[in-house]
Amino acid sequence: MDSGCWKLTLTLVVVFVSSYTQASFSRHMNDFIEAVKQVEDGAPALEPVAVLKMLRRAAGLSDPFIRHFLGSEDSSGPEMDAGLSEYIRKTVHHRVTADATEEGVVLTADGTTVALGPLLLGLEAGFLSKSAGRVRGLYQLCLAQDLSLSLSRGSPLTQPLGSDGCWDSLTSPQVFTLSDSSSLLTTPQVNGGMDGILLGMEVSDKTRRPLKLSSLLTGYYCHQLEKTGLDAAPRLISRRRRDNFRDLVVSSELSKQVVKSVELQRRLKGESRMEAKEKKQLKSAVKEGMKEFVHMYMVCPPILPRCMWGAEPYKGTPTNLSLPLTYLFIHHTHTPSQPCLTFEQCSADMRSMQRFHQVDRGWDDIGYSFVAGSDGNIYEGRGWNWQGAHTLGHNSVGYGVSFIGDYMTELPSQQSMTLVRDRLASCAVGGGRLVANYTLMGHRQVRDTTCPGDALYNEIKGWKHWGVKK
């Protein structure tokens, strides 16, 4: 053969070396962001959408459902360091094991746990969009597919929604164990789906697209609150996840996307179309299940379980409450006197209060049912079912909720008060724990009537015109 007919094609494969080792990275969002940054530093010319495709390839997110909306992972891109690729695969690939360990999730700085798969898929869909606010497949990629598996196949023996869990370590998290492994859709999956939708919609606007994916994730998950808490915080941060999701998403539209997801999955598998009767049953099941989803994630505030703040066990045997209750008693702390603005500080304050109540007061546990931080979270004390020790003579008829901080002369942030007055109270009523016409009562902290009034107590009297003196 004439040598002139030969053509030599050279394929340039870029291999970048990272400083990554398996032992150096935990399942914390900060470490995942650092891994993303190493991918970007290894190929600085890559656009965010190309970085996302690399992450999708490393994580093995390549089923027909995903490719239907996002296309292939584009194997022509640069090669990733083997150790870094393995970390991404293990950190992003989602599954629940037989021993109730949930993989593919990370702990974030705000104390919540997030599944990375739906987050990354939502971001990639947003970057691929042609016009702002119109993202093809966004709801189905992030949340509707998981919801369809849960709401369409639930049974009386299976809790379809809402299982949360605990990490083995909060400083270097590696293993996340669910408290209820029967749930078909976990809270970390919902958190990741919400974030994927919110951030995917944000970057669909070309004027808001960041130069680096790591910068976007850092701004969203790592924002430091100032003294006023969330009142002066930016709109798009993870602490505002539920508020932003509630403002953006209409439950009826999400229900439609769940049904469409089921239909698409059947079509991609080559299965026949649903008969009219079957589709009607599916719509009915989804509509009913969506009520629970709305209550848990669009009405209720984020409530961090006891294990997340490091609670000591209850001493003795708790007394169960007889539900529903009639009252919601609002307190604030004398010590700690300052509002807590981070998950770490709020958790430390919770442990301090529990030690004081258990050791100094000799109580069985922290006295409050729930505690509100200024970081955007509600912290579980004795919770929904155990009788508290918060309002003398009234513990059996109501929940006790305290704000962290001394509010004798000033009020908590508006966001914190809304979290308790509107979100937590509505969550309790909707869950059948408080009667619909409950009374919200302030607990006066001052004993000496010659002292100035209690600012929070006086504010609460304006809410419901009720108060209880200590």
Side-chain angles (χ1 to χ4, degrees):
M1 181 179 292
D2 185 358
S3 60
C5 296
W6 284 91
K7 292 185 179 180
L8 181 62
T9 302
L10 296 178
T11 302
L12 179 63
V13 178
V14 180
V15 180
F16 54 86
V17 179
S18 74
S19 60
Y20 170 81
T21 62
Q22 283 271 6
S24 65
F25 278 15
S26 71
R27 285 353 184 229
H28 196 287
M29 180 61 80
N30 291 355
D31 282 339
F32 178 74
I33 293 173
E34 178 59 29
V36 172
K37 189 174 185 302
Q38 289 191 17
V39 174
E40 294 170 334
D41 291 347
L46 289 182
E47 296 290 329
V49 68
V51 173
L52 284 161
K53 287 185 178 297
M54 287 183 65
L55 296 176
R56 177 153 62 98
R57 185 172 75 232
L61 300 177
S62 60
D63 62 58
F65 187 89
I66 294 172
R67 292 197 299 272
H68 175 80
F69 294 109
L70 302 180
S72 69
E73 307 91 298
D74 188 12
S75 58
S76 63
E79 291 293 325
M80 191 182 298
D81 170 79
L84 187 57
S85 178
E86 179 66 6
Y87 169 77
I88 290 170
R89 184 188 68 79
K90 289 185 175 180
T91 309
V92 176
H93 182 72
H94 186 271
R95 69 170 184 144
V96 176
T97 66
D99 61 354
T101 296
E102 184 173 12
E103 300 176 350
V105 299
V106 294
L107 174 65
T108 68
D110 65 16
T112 55
T113 301
V114 172
L116 289 172
L119 164 66
L120 297 178
L121 294 176
L123 278 166
E124 188 174 342
F127 276 109
L128 291 174
S129 65
K130 304 299 182 183
S131 59
R134 297 178 63 86
V135 184
R136 180 173 179 263
L138 182 64
Y139 286 6
Q140 294 194 48
L141 285 166
C142 294
L143 196 53
Q145 182 185 24
D146 288 334
L147 273 170
S148 71
L149 297 175
S150 174
L151 301 185
S152 64
R153 297 199 301 198
S155 74
L157 300 178
T158 304
Q159 174 67 31
L161 290 174
S163 183
D164 210 334
C166 302
W167 285 95
D168 58 335
S169 166
L170 298 180
T171 55
S172 182
Q174 297 289 350
V175 180
F176 183 74
T177 304
L178 292 169
S179 56
D180 181 6
S181 60
S182 68
S183 174
L184 294 174
L185 180 65
T186 68
T187 290
Q189 285 178 282
V190 175
N191 288 337
M194 288 181 176
D195 290 348
I197 290 171
L198 294 170
L199 291 176
M201 193 67 74
E202 181 75 6
V203 300
S204 70
D205 186 341
K206 295 181 181 180
T207 64
R208 297 177 180 173
R209 290 179 179 174
L211 296 176
K212 296 292 183 182
L213 178 62
S214 58
S215 299
L216 174 68
L217 296 175
T218 299
Y220 185 75
Y221 288 107
C222 306
H223 178 79
Q224 299 293 313
L225 296 178
E226 298 178 357
K227 184 178 179 180
T228 53
L230 282 171
D231 286 357
R235 173 186 64 86
L236 196 70
I237 58 175
S238 61
R239 288 181 174 89
R240 295 189 185 276
R241 174 187 296 114
R242 295 198 183 196
D243 289 341
N244 287 332
F245 186 79
R246 185 171 52 248
D247 292 341
L248 177 66
V249 176
V250 179
S251 60
S252 59
E253 176 59 28
L254 186 54
S255 295
K256 291 179 183 178
Q257 294 295 332
V258 171
V259 174
K260 286 184 178 180
S261 177
V262 174
E263 293 176 318
L264 175 59
Q265 291 174 72
R266 291 180 64 129
R267 188 166 74 248
L268 292 174
K269 293 176 182 177
E271 298 177 0
S272 60
R273 297 180 61 179
M274 283 186 288
E275 298 291 339
K277 182 179 179 180
E278 184 182 4
K279 188 171 183 178
K280 183 178 180 180
Q281 291 174 338
L282 172 63
K283 288 182 177 180
S284 177
V286 169
K287 182 179 180 180
E288 192 62 29
M290 192 58 64
K291 294 178 183 178
E292 181 68 12
F293 176 85
V294 169
H295 170 72
M296 290 186 67
Y297 297 108
M298 299 174 75
V299 173
C300 290
I303 301 176
L304 297 189
R306 292 167 61 91
C307 63
M308 289 299 293
W309 57 267
E312 292 294 325
Y314 190 100
K315 293 182 177 180
T317 303
T319 299
N320 287 328
L321 290 164
S322 180
L323 305 179
L325 304 182
T326 308
Y327 299 97
L328 192 65
F329 299 102
I330 306 300
H331 304 244
H332 65 88
T333 63
H334 180 269
T335 304
S337 62
Q338 297 301 311
C340 59
L341 299 172
T342 66
F343 165 60
E344 290 80 7
Q345 185 58 55
C346 292
S347 297
D349 288 346
M350 291 293 293
R351 294 191 296 272
S352 175
M353 285 187 285
Q354 187 186 40
R355 282 194 300 271
F356 175 68
H357 288 174
Q358 286 186 320
V359 178
D360 293 22
R361 291 281 179 89
W363 297 349
D364 294 332
D365 198 2
I366 187 171
Y368 306 118
S369 308
F370 298 95
V371 178
S374 294
D375 63 335
N377 290 321
I378 297 289
Y379 290 80
E380 181 186 28
R382 299 205 189 186
W384 294 118
N385 298 313
W386 294 352
Q387 181 175 305
H390 46 79
T391 312
L392 186 62
H394 298 77
N395 293 317
S396 65
V397 296
Y399 293 113
V401 182
S402 182
F403 290 92
I404 294 179
D406 187 343
Y407 295 108
M408 291 289 295
T409 59
E410 60 182 353
L411 294 175
S413 67
Q414 286 297 317
Q415 193 279 340
S416 294
M417 289 198 291
T418 297
L419 198 68
V420 171
R421 180 185 59 202
D422 299 335
R423 298 300 168 206
L424 185 62
S426 296
C427 180
V429 171
R433 293 140 180 155
L434 277 177
V435 295
N437 59 343
Y438 71 95
T439 302
L440 192 152
M441 305 180 77
H443 187 273
R444 190 179 178 94
Q445 300 295 105
V446 293
R447 297 175 183 272
D448 186 350
T449 57
T450 64
C451 291
D454 184 318
L456 180 59
Y457 172 83
N458 291 329
E459 172 71 13
I460 293 169
K461 284 199 299 182
W463 290 351
K464 288 286 184 178
H465 306 292
W466 279 91
V468 173
K469 290 185 179 180
K470 185 173 180 179

